[in-house]
Amino acid sequence: MRLVSSAINVAFFTILSRATGFLRDILMAQYIGTSKVMDALVIAIKIPSFLRRIFAEGAFNSSFVPIYSAMHVAQKEEAQEFIKDVFSLMTGILVLLIIAFEIAMPFVVTIMVPGVGQDVFELAVSFSRVTFPFILLISLTALFSGVLNTHDRFSAAASSQIAGNIFIVLIMKLVDPIVLTNGSVVATAIMGSGFVQLLWVLVPCYLMGVSPAIRRPRKSKAMQNFGKRMVPAAIGSGVLQINLFIDTIIASLLPMGTISYLYYADRLYHLPISITGTALGTVLLPMLSRQWRENNVDGAMHNQNRAIEFAMLITLPAMLGLIYLARPLVMVIFERGAFDQTSSIATAQTLAGFATGLPAYILIKIFNTSFFSRQDTITPIKVALSGMLVNVVLNFLLIYKLKHLGIALSTSIASWFNAAVLVYLLKKRQFINFDAALWRFLLKIIIPCIVTFLVLYMFKSLTLPYLQSDEGIHIRAIALSVLVGSGILTYVFLVWSMGLLRFKEYVAN
């Protein structure tokens, strides 16, 4: 099936991206740990990331891709002009935004993390001024990635983050570790990785005959449609980011290191999200946009169901594994140097809390794509806003006793609420129909998940002495590989033997 085979292609590069990202985070944990410098770096990463997810990801893709997808076949010249108009508009807006934020950065940091001390505040302002131009570079990367994805050239776009991560790792390995502890080199490397990622997608676009040009954007019908979709989509993405924004504000009121715990846990639980949610969202949006435009209702319904199947195939065992193996994962991957046992335990608790909502995070991406492909960007906004309110209430109810774990659990519960409301609205409008094959799949997938958990339970007891070994990281790494590998092999064998892993269908074109 084209949907899943393309998603697997994207997922492959996403896994490599996450692997190189983990290497970057391992170095940061080793040299910086969960110190005030790391808290400040996380703040400096989050500020452009909030806006990145508004301009460069969901909102932009849901607005740009359907329009460009409709134009590039029948109106090739107009499609080229549309790209230039969007490029010019985005560049102009983001340059002005960068100037404004650079001037107002102390105020921005104060609003974002009101509870941090003066030393963390000063570092966060300094680092954020270095990293903030990243928003322009990564937003333009999203533009050209959208072009490549529309032409079914998913590999170049999906591998851009790999190049960016490798750049950061090389800088960190070439610089004296003592210098790295002050954080400024890492902040500069993060901003520089944006240039690398932009070039990575710009070159293949140029070879396809797509080249940018700065000019005054035209008032074309395509640009008017883009604006009408982009504004509500950006508001919707902004609502989602307010959730994260609130989490960061609350984390700043908790003991030092909480912001870092959330960051490291986020890196781990986002791996399956990237494999499934990002990959499926990247492939599903242009595919559904074409099918709804062609009134191919059966094809769109079929692809939505198969996307849910594939997502659950990955996320259900991943959820169990991340909850049960949170402590060994964090201990082996991050616990060394400045990242001590206290940091490891707190990060593992946070990871387990986030992992409880893992399937919901992916379902939200799929369900939102169903609305976006029909050019409905308003409904996801309303649902996201209600989810944000649930998250805020739960945060204040849970953090007093559970602290960092309370923040993670609030996010997970709010995500399940969001996913439930989205699917209710899709069913009510007859935009989705869960077929018999999906229900059979969901019932059968419970069996391999339970058996895999039992295998992990057994192997965890056997490998525990080696996971806690003081004889070297290689002993703990081998033990973790055996533990995780036993679970993966068991799960893959069971889903294959039960006919749930339809490999031929997944790789078919």
Side-chain angles (χ1 to χ4, degrees):
M1 183 170 60
R2 181 76 180 192
L3 165 66
V4 180
S5 62
S6 298
I8 290 175
N9 184 34
V10 175
F12 171 75
F13 287 103
T14 305
I15 291 172
L16 292 180
S17 172
R18 286 292 168 178
T20 53
F22 278 137
L23 182 56
R24 175 200 66 204
D25 293 332
I26 288 169
L27 293 175
M28 291 171 69
Q30 180 178 351
Y31 298 127
I32 307 174
T34 56
S35 63
K36 62 181 181 181
V37 173
M38 188 62 203
D39 276 3
L41 271 175
V42 172
I43 295 166
I45 293 170
K46 282 185 174 293
I47 290 176
S49 292
F50 287 152
L51 294 174
R52 167 190 179 173
R53 289 178 177 133
I54 295 174
F55 287 101
E57 294 179 357
F60 178 81
N61 282 327
S62 64
S63 305
F64 174 80
V65 171
I67 298 174
Y68 181 69
S69 175
M71 295 175 63
H72 86 277
V73 175
Q75 302 170 281
K76 290 187 177 181
E77 292 185 5
E78 190 62 26
Q80 295 284 347
E81 297 302 311
F82 176 58
I83 293 173
K84 293 177 181 179
D85 288 334
V86 173
F87 174 81
S88 301
L89 179 66
M90 288 183 64
T91 301
I93 292 174
L94 290 173
V95 166
L96 293 175
L97 189 69
I98 289 170
I99 294 172
F101 267 70
E102 292 289 337
I103 295 171
M105 195 60 73
F107 176 75
V108 173
V109 173
T110 300
I111 295 296
M112 185 171 182
V113 282
V116 299
Q118 185 63 26
D119 48 356
V120 176
F121 172 81
E122 291 176 356
L123 286 171
V125 171
S126 176
F127 295 159
S128 297
R129 281 176 166 158
V130 174
T131 60
F132 195 75
F134 180 83
I135 179 62
L136 170 62
L137 303 170
I138 206 64
S139 295
L140 295 179
T141 300
L143 167 61
F144 296 110
S145 294
V147 173
L148 293 171
N149 290 337
T150 302
H151 290 270
D152 293 335
R153 300 191 179 188
F154 300 107
S155 300
S159 61
S160 63
Q161 286 191 358
I162 300 173
N165 287 333
I166 291 175
F167 173 81
I168 297 173
V169 169
L170 288 175
I171 294 297
M172 294 180 71
K173 294 300 291 184
L174 291 173
V175 173
D176 189 326
I178 297 177
V179 176
L180 288 176
T181 58
N182 68 25
S184 58
V185 171
V186 178
T188 304
I190 290 170
M191 197 275 290
S193 70
F195 283 104
V196 175
Q197 293 184 62
L198 177 57
L199 289 174
W200 196 265
V201 295
L202 184 57
V203 170
C205 279
Y206 181 79
L207 294 176
M208 277 182 6
V210 176
S211 56
I214 295 291
R215 68 186 190 190
R216 184 175 180 178
R218 303 172 306 156
K219 294 181 179 180
S220 63
K221 183 178 179 180
M223 285 299 291
Q224 291 176 349
N225 289 336
F226 176 74
K228 289 178 181 178
R229 297 176 188 176
M230 182 69 181
V231 172
I235 295 172
S237 296
V239 170
L240 294 175
Q241 297 318 303
I242 290 173
N243 263 322
L244 299 175
F245 181 78
I246 292 171
D247 288 349
T248 305
I249 291 175
I250 293 173
S252 75
L253 302 174
L254 296 176
M256 190 188 76
T258 301
I259 295 174
S260 298
Y261 304 152
L262 294 173
Y263 173 80
Y264 288 118
D266 177 270
R267 298 299 300 164
L268 284 170
Y269 89 86
H270 255 91
L271 176 59
I273 291 177
S274 298
I275 294 173
T276 50
T278 303
L280 285 172
T282 299
V283 176
L284 195 60
L285 179 57
M287 182 175 292
L288 290 184
S289 297
R290 287 194 296 267
Q291 289 176 327
W292 287 114
R293 189 173 65 249
E294 296 166 358
N295 201 30
N296 183 5
V297 177
D298 291 339
M301 295 290 187
H302 175 80
N303 281 328
Q304 286 176 135
N305 283 318
R306 302 295 76 78
I308 294 170
E309 277 185 20
F310 186 66
M312 295 302 100
L313 182 73
I314 302 295
T315 57
L316 288 177
M319 177 183 67
L320 293 174
L322 288 175
I323 293 172
Y324 188 61
L325 302 180
R327 179 75 174 94
L329 285 167
V330 174
M331 181 173 62
V332 174
I333 294 174
F334 294 127
E335 190 178 312
R336 64 183 60 82
F339 196 100
D340 57 18
Q341 188 179 56
T342 301
S343 301
S344 184
I345 293 172
T347 301
Q349 292 171 343
T350 308
L351 172 61
F354 278 133
T356 59
L358 184 57
Y361 307 143
I362 310 301
L363 291 174
I364 289 170
K365 286 179 176 287
I366 295 174
F367 296 152
N368 278 342
T369 300
S370 298
F371 285 105
F372 293 152
S373 65
R374 295 172 178 83
Q375 302 179 22
D376 179 1
T377 55
I378 299 296
T379 301
I381 293 177
K382 297 177 180 178
V383 177
L385 182 60
S386 62
M388 181 194 74
L389 295 175
V390 171
N391 184 46
V392 171
V393 172
L394 289 174
N395 263 315
F396 284 108
L397 289 175
L398 297 178
I399 62 165
Y400 292 106
K401 289 187 176 181
L402 301 178
K403 295 183 171 58
H404 47 273
L405 176 58
I407 296 176
L409 288 175
S410 298
T411 302
S412 295
I413 296 170
S415 296
W416 280 111
F417 172 82
N418 195 331
V421 175
L422 285 171
V423 75
Y424 168 77
L425 293 175
L426 285 170
K427 290 284 289 182
K428 184 177 180 181
R429 300 178 189 184
Q430 298 183 338
F431 287 167
I432 195 168
N433 180 29
F434 297 146
D435 57 24
L438 175 60
W439 286 115
R440 287 195 300 269
F441 177 90
L442 294 177
L443 289 173
K444 289 182 178 180
I445 201 68
I446 296 173
I447 297 173
C449 286
I450 293 174
V451 175
T452 300
F453 175 78
L454 294 175
V455 170
L456 289 175
Y457 180 83
M458 179 184 67
F459 271 83
K460 187 178 180 182
S461 300
L462 296 174
T463 57
L464 189 60
Y466 302 99
L467 289 168
Q468 298 174 336
S469 173
D470 295 327
E471 297 182 12
I473 184 62
H474 63 286
I475 299 295
R476 290 188 289 170
I478 292 172
L480 181 64
S481 299
V482 171
L483 178 57
V484 175
S486 65
I488 292 175
L489 290 175
T490 300
Y491 182 74
V492 171
F493 173 76
L494 288 172
V495 296
W496 174 76
S497 63
M498 293 177 65
L500 300 175
L501 186 63
R502 298 185 293 275
F503 187 74
K504 290 183 179 180
E505 180 181 350
Y506 289 168
V507 299
N509 291 321

